[in-house]
Amino acid sequence: MPKILEDEKIFQAVLQVVAERGYSGATTKQMADAANISEMTLFRKYGNKAQLVKQAIAFIVAKTDFASAARFTGDVQADLLCVVQAYHETAVRHGLFFFALFSEFNRHPDLIGSMDEPMSIFKKFGELVARYQTEGILKQSPPLHVVATLLAPLMYISTMRSAKLDNNIPPLDLTGHVTSFLEGHCIDRKILET
């Protein structure tokens, strides 16, 4: 089996086990079993559990085209829709994994470095917002706060739907969400009419 396919299988197993058991409850033995490899192979290839989780997160980032999603085109609505779509795709696929991980950061400081790549992407989204603020299209506010405001509803809805806590939550209309967001954040609402 080619190395890339084997890595993908292993990372998928890590994502699954952590989503199901949480970081504390997940063992490298369970991860190895889920990937159908030996635990020794897992340790030789990836190091400790925290390093394995960090590499699984890097795998998620590599599989999602966040670089394109953060590209400035001059069309604020289209650009923010790209951001929302990329984020939504990741939240739907891996929301429970991230939810399990976030809830354990306090108890496992070794996990904090695992979020370097996602934070880098979040900052790129902030740079996109800042560019639209500089262009006079979006209202001035800390760009990372604006990004959090844009993405928070997606995180909430995808977590609730993934956890099956409320099956009555309808899927989010991403285009409608961006339009509503822009109604409150654009300096000139005429931009939305073009």
Side-chain angles (χ1 to χ4, degrees), residues 8-188:
E8 184 170 342
K9 179 179 81 167
I10 292 166
F11 295 144
Q12 290 294 349
V14 170
L15 299 172
Q16 173 194 338
V17 172
V18 171
E20 290 171 358
R21 300 176 183 273
Y23 181 77
S24 294
T27 66
T28 52
K29 170 92 171 93
Q30 293 163 340
M31 293 173 188
D33 289 347
N36 205 19
I37 62 170
S38 76
E39 188 176 18
M40 185 56 73
T41 300
L42 203 63
F43 276 118
R44 275 193 204 126
K45 196 167 185 174
Y46 303 102
N48 62 30
K49 182 167 73 167
Q51 188 60 29
L52 183 56
V53 167
K54 182 176 183 172
Q55 290 182 30
I57 292 170
F59 164 75
I60 291 171
V61 170
K63 292 289 274 185
T64 308
D65 189 9
F66 286 112
S68 291
R71 190 175 309 136
F72 177 86
T73 68
D75 182 341
V76 67
Q77 193 153 12
D79 288 355
L80 293 185
L81 184 58
C82 284
V83 166
V84 166
Q85 287 170 333
Y87 183 84
H88 181 69
E89 175 187 328
T90 302
V92 166
R93 281 196 186 140
H94 308 293
L96 287 178
F97 166 78
F98 283 109
F99 185 74
L101 218 52
F102 291 153
S103 68
E104 298 192 54
F105 277 148
N106 300 9
R107 295 185 304 264
H108 300 282
D110 54 326
L111 285 175
I112 294 185
S114 66
M115 295 305 293
D116 291 346
E117 285 191 63
M119 282 307 299
S120 172
I121 292 163
F122 194 72
K123 289 175 183 174
K124 286 189 185 317
F125 292 162
E127 291 167 9
L128 177 66
V129 165
R131 175 93 184 260
Y132 278 110
Q133 290 173 331
T134 301
E135 300 278 327
I137 294 170
L138 294 178
K139 294 176 183 176
Q140 292 297 318
S141 187
L144 294 181
H145 291 184
V146 175
V147 174
T149 302
L150 175 65
L151 300 179
L154 280 76
M155 182 186 306
Y156 173 78
I157 290 172
S158 68
T159 301
M160 292 298 123
R161 288 179 60 103
S162 296
K164 297 180 179 30
L165 295 176
D166 186 347
N167 292 331
N168 296 322
I169 296 176
L172 190 61
D173 168 17
L174 300 181
T175 303
H177 172 65
V178 170
T179 300
S180 295
F181 173 84
L182 286 172
E183 286 172 359
H185 290 85
C186 272
I187 291 174
D188 183 0

Side-chain angles (χ1 to χ4, degrees), residues 1-9 59:
M1 178 183 308
K3 180 187 179 328
I4 292 173
L5 290 177
E6 184 177 300
D7 286 343
E8 184 170 342
K9 179 179 81 167
F59 164 75

